Amino acid sequence: MYFCSFLNLLNSIVSLTVFLQYVIYAITMCFELYLVSKSTGGFIGVVRSLLYIIGLFVQMLICFCIPSTMLTIEAADTQNVIYETKWYQCPYTSIRKNVIIMMIRLRGDIALTAGNLFFVNLETCTE
């Protein structure tokens, strides 16, 4: 099925990159929060660091978490649409078998991963 093979290809291409991006975000946020706690730059330095942290978080949401969540929702919707058709009334057995195979393949966890360690979605980003 095209959707599953596309997701596997996308995962193989971006999984390591997304993982490295998350690691860099985490290190950068820790460093910026450390600077805020020490407030070495005064009020302007604190505001700059907080805006930078907010920018990183928004970038992570827009570039990774929201598209991955939309992909997962689309896969679930596709499975529901396939199930709600009258596929069981089709006179051809081969078509019914193919539809069952499509529903089974769409039933699993369909999401982008970061380094094959964790799923990238809104739930993981906001925890």
Side-chain angles (χ1 to χ4, degrees):
M1 190 170 151
Y2 177 75
F3 188 76
C4 293
S5 62
F6 172 73
L7 182 66
N8 290 335
L9 176 66
L10 186 63
N11 251 339
S12 67
I13 293 171
V14 301
S15 180
L16 183 61
T17 306
V18 172
F19 177 72
L20 291 175
Q21 193 78 26
Y22 265 72
V23 169
I24 291 170
Y25 282 164
I27 292 170
T28 305
M29 285 187 186
C30 288
F31 182 70
E32 289 294 327
L33 286 172
Y34 174 75
L35 290 177
V36 167
S37 71
K38 293 296 181 182
S39 63
T40 56
F43 179 73
I44 300 294
V46 170
V47 170
R48 184 198 59 81
S49 291
L50 290 176
L51 287 175
Y52 186 67
I53 291 170
I54 291 170
L56 283 177
F57 188 70
V58 168
Q59 181 183 5
M60 186 172 52
L61 283 175
I62 291 173
C63 292
F64 302 117
C65 299
I66 292 175
S68 180
T69 302
M70 291 173 67
L71 182 70
T72 304
I73 291 170
E74 191 69 30
D77 288 347
T78 304
Q79 181 186 9
N80 290 337
V81 166
I82 291 172
Y83 181 76
E84 290 173 1
T85 61
K86 298 194 185 290
W87 60 271
Y88 47 85
Q89 293 178 350
C90 182
Y92 303 106
T93 310
S94 62
I95 292 176
R96 289 194 309 254
K97 288 180 182 179
N98 287 331
V99 169
I100 291 171
I101 290 170
M102 283 192 296
M103 287 189 297
I104 289 171
R105 291 187 72 185
L106 286 170
R107 189 176 61 193
D109 291 330
I110 297 180
L112 291 177
T113 60
N116 293 328
L117 296 175
F118 57 91
F119 292 119
V120 178
N121 54 26
L122 280 175
E123 184 179 327
T124 7
C125 290
T126 55
E127 286 181 350

